[in-house]
Amino acid sequence: MVKICCIGAGYVGGPTMAVIALKCPDIEVAVVDISVSRITAWNSDQLPIYEPGLDDVVKQCRGRNLFFSTDVEKHVKEADIVFVSVNTPTKTRGLGAGKAADLTYWESAARMIADVSKSDKIVVEKSTVPVKTAEAIEKILTHNSKGIKFQILSNPEFLAEGTAIQDLFNPDRVLIGGRETPEGEKAIQALKDVYAHWVSEDRILTTNLWSAELSKLAANAFLAQRISSVNAMSALCEATGANITEVSYAVGKDTRIGPKFLNASVGFGGSCFQKDILNLVYICECNGLPEVAEYWKQVIKINDYQKNRFVNRVVSSMFNTVSNKKIAILGFAFKKDTGDTRETPAIDVCKGLLGDKARLSIYDPQVTEDQIQRDLVMNKFDWDHPLHLQPMSPTTVKQVGVVWDAYEATKDAHGVCVLTEWDEFKTLDYQRIYDNMQKPAFIFDGRNVVDAEKLREIGFIVYSIGKPLDAWLKDMPAVA
């Protein structure tokens, strides 16, 4: 029986291994992590991450050929294939701070694999890593190998949160990069055989190691670039009276461009986009390509600009101050159908409003109060470091209340900001919300999910990103 072990039980490791276990009943899969609380959660009815369909997959396999354990060394020692899915946070100090990936956790995982291995192994990079990481890992493994042979493969994940299980069941492509040697080819084939249980051969792509590593960064950079492009256009739409929804629909009809990732919003979030682009920027700078680095930096600059622009619009519309005004925040996760708040634009919007002394009432169907408070006091990039390095019990931000109901959040509010596109926000009783708000009542739709015309009929003053502005908003121009 082939044995697979995955080091790291997070958003990538957990779901990926659960699907491999489901689709390959003849393979034993162990997911290991040093975090006792995380492994306990994986073994309970309350999984540590929310992802539609995940619960069902885990329950079908857990205890049969899928195991979650804190006994890292035992499972690594027994495995034929070891996936490494540990954090690669952005460095916060030292060389490359604020851009380069911190490979501390990767390096210690590699040293541990070399230390405990008694048989040849295939080691698979599953975390997003800077190009050429495999080379560093290879050096650590070979210099500490005691005669055991290791093959390194790069097998980046292309999951989207909220649809991860669907993406795993039916991937656009599975990418496997390895050494162009007989041993490398053999290792690639071994991993191909795992995926071939459910993925057709034409969707399993094989490349050299560096192409696979760079393809992941490139894919995220291209996706983020599309969002920044449409968001840059949304600012122009507001200035000219054009409608971003109509513009992006027309642009997306061009088959060379396509319609996906052309929705204007308050900005992109998630654990990968910003981190991967910063990483790309750093790699370009290190390789003497400052113009290329500058190009990709601009994608992040536009994203920051969009969040600032949104905050400025809120403040300027409400007589240039939100001091001591109650603002309802609907949605805190970075996108719908996930409880993930990593790099969510809601953090910067909330911090911007708090900077002007607003009182916030926040509602998100999947995010806990503890998580929201933690996010609002955490320094940039700290979220990606292990929990024991983060503030454990966050100092509560006094101006922030977290409630479990949209109507409670909006009661007596001066304004409402929609920051996540949860479906339920489309069907709320906005007449009831209007009746219970201070007047004039403002709605700032950062996701273009509400029906602006209907809300205007009720009496709201509505701002939708990239849409023609209310007369009111034109009279109160935002200072960017």
Side-chain angles (χ1 to χ4, degrees):
M1 186 185 228
V2 175
K3 289 191 172 183
I4 289 178
C5 172
C6 176
I7 303 172
Y11 275 90
V12 174
T16 307
M17 293 303 119
V19 169
I20 288 177
L22 181 72
K23 298 291 188 181
C24 311
D26 54 332
I27 294 177
E28 184 182 296
V29 181
V31 183
V32 296
D33 202 296
I34 53 173
S35 165
V36 176
S37 60
R38 186 178 275 184
I39 291 297
T40 305
W42 277 110
N43 282 318
S44 74
D45 285 338
Q46 195 62 52
L47 300 185
I49 61 178
Y50 171 73
E51 192 63 55
L54 176 62
D55 225 28
D56 195 38
V57 175
V58 169
K59 281 176 182 158
Q60 282 183 64
C61 308
R62 196 169 54 193
R64 189 187 70 199
N65 67 326
L66 174 65
F67 304 93
F68 296 94
S69 167
T70 50
D71 195 342
V72 179
E73 295 186 2
K74 169 185 180 286
H75 289 286
V76 169
K77 191 157 115 189
E78 292 173 359
D80 304 295
I81 303 175
V82 180
F83 284 83
V84 183
S85 190
V86 296
N87 274 13
T88 48
T90 303
K91 284 181 78 171
T92 49
R93 53 178 66 86
L95 185 69
K99 283 185 288 220
D102 181 346
L103 296 179
T104 310
Y105 311 114
W106 239 111
E107 186 178 329
S108 60
R111 288 182 186 279
M112 184 270 297
I113 293 167
D115 219 27
V116 305
S117 294
K118 301 276 186 281
S119 57
D120 295 354
K121 301 209 183 313
I122 296 169
V123 178
V124 184
E125 294 178 338
K126 200 67 187 160
S127 331
T128 302
V129 290
V131 65
K132 293 284 186 179
T133 299
E135 199 161 53
I137 303 308
E138 219 165 37
K139 283 179 179 145
I140 291 167
L141 290 171
T142 46
H143 284 282
N144 294 283
S145 69
K146 306 182 288 273
I148 285 156
K149 291 190 170 52
F150 295 100
Q151 278 300 322
I152 315 291
L153 299 179
S154 172
N155 175 218
E157 52 81 23
F158 297 104
L159 305 177
E161 283 183 49
T163 58
I165 297 300
Q166 229 22 68
D167 296 344
L168 285 162
F169 280 172
N170 188 25
D172 288 341
R173 77 289 203 198
V174 170
L175 182 58
I176 302 170
R179 284 286 188 197
E180 293 161 293
T181 60
E183 298 80 10
E185 301 288 344
K186 203 173 149 200
I188 288 172
Q189 191 57 50
L191 189 53
K192 262 181 98 168
D193 291 344
V194 172
Y195 284 109
H197 280 74
W198 79 98
V199 182
S200 62
E201 178 114 20
D202 60 324
R203 290 196 179 186
I204 303 176
L205 318 181
T206 57
T207 65
N208 73 30
L209 267 173
W210 323 132
S211 297
E213 287 182 335
L214 193 53
S215 294
K216 169 64 177 173
L217 296 183
N220 276 344
F222 277 48
L223 290 170
Q225 177 201 47
R226 281 176 75 98
I227 296 173
S228 283
S229 295
V230 80
N231 282 342
M233 284 297 164
S234 75
L236 186 58
C237 285
E238 288 169 32
T240 58
N243 182 328
I244 192 62
T245 308
E246 294 171 352
V247 172
S248 58
Y249 181 73
V251 169
K253 276 295 181 194
D254 186 324
T255 51
R256 295 165 302 175
I257 297 172
K260 291 185 176 171
F261 271 68
L262 288 182
N263 291 327
S265 70
V266 67
F268 59 72
S271 61
C272 286
F273 282 1
Q274 176 161 299
K275 188 169 88 167
D276 287 0
I277 295 170
L278 289 170
N279 212 319
L280 199 54
V281 165
Y282 184 67
I283 294 164
C284 292
E285 288 172 346
C286 291
N287 283 286
L289 301 168
E291 292 83 359
V292 183
E294 207 45 54
Y295 174 77
W296 288 111
K297 260 187 212 166
Q298 197 59 38
V299 172
I300 289 177
K301 281 185 186 161
I302 287 288
N303 197 49
D304 291 337
Y305 163 74
Q306 188 76 339
K307 293 181 280 194
N308 291 337
R309 206 167 73 76
F310 187 85
V311 172
N312 290 341
R313 181 66 75 187
V314 173
V315 176
S316 66
S317 304
M318 299 172 76
F319 314 102
N320 240 0
T321 177
V322 288
S323 180
N324 215 25
K325 290 177 182 172
K326 178 178 174 180
I327 308 285
I329 304 292
L330 297 186
F332 197 84
F334 83 91
K335 65 190 266 196
K336 72 172 185 176
D337 293 334
T338 178
D340 195 353
T341 61
R342 295 177 292 179
E343 293 290 352
T344 174
I347 294 172
D348 287 332
V349 171
C350 288
K351 283 183 173 176
L353 294 171
L354 289 168
D356 204 66
K357 304 278 194 295
R359 290 181 299 116
L360 305 183
S361 185
I362 302 175
Y363 164 66
D364 186 287
Q366 284 296 334
V367 185
T368 63
E369 175 164 13
D370 183 63
Q371 185 61 51
I372 288 170
Q373 291 285 4
R374 192 190 303 276
D375 285 333
L376 292 178
V377 295
M378 217 182 283
N379 292 326
K380 203 159 184 52
F381 305 125
D382 275 1
W383 56 268
D384 207 13
H385 291 266
L387 278 174
H388 65 271
L389 298 179
Q390 296 176 12
M392 266 331 278
S393 48
T395 43
T396 315
V397 183
K398 298 224 173 11
Q399 295 152 268
V400 175
V402 178
V403 295
W404 283 99
D405 172 60
Y407 299 106
E408 183 61 35
T410 52
K411 190 167 182 258
D412 291 326
H414 292 256
V416 175
C417 297
V418 182
L419 299 184
T420 312
E421 71 282 21
W422 287 103
D423 290 339
E424 68 178 83
F425 298 155
K426 297 174 188 171
T427 55
L428 291 170
D429 181 346
Y430 281 100
Q431 182 65 57
R432 175 181 165 192
I433 287 173
Y434 179 79
D435 293 342
N436 288 317
M437 279 177 68
Q438 304 280 344
K439 308 297 182 294
F442 296 87
I443 286 200
F444 303 93
D445 186 1
R447 295 288 180 171
N448 284 341
V449 293
V450 301
D451 184 332
E453 283 318 308
K454 272 194 184 147
L455 295 190
R456 288 186 182 116
E457 282 166 24
I458 291 171
F460 284 104
I461 292 157
V462 184
Y463 166 67
S464 295
I465 281 189
K467 303 282 182 74
L469 298 174
D470 273 12
W472 177 291
L473 300 170
K474 282 184 187 149
D475 294 342
M476 305 255 182
V479 185

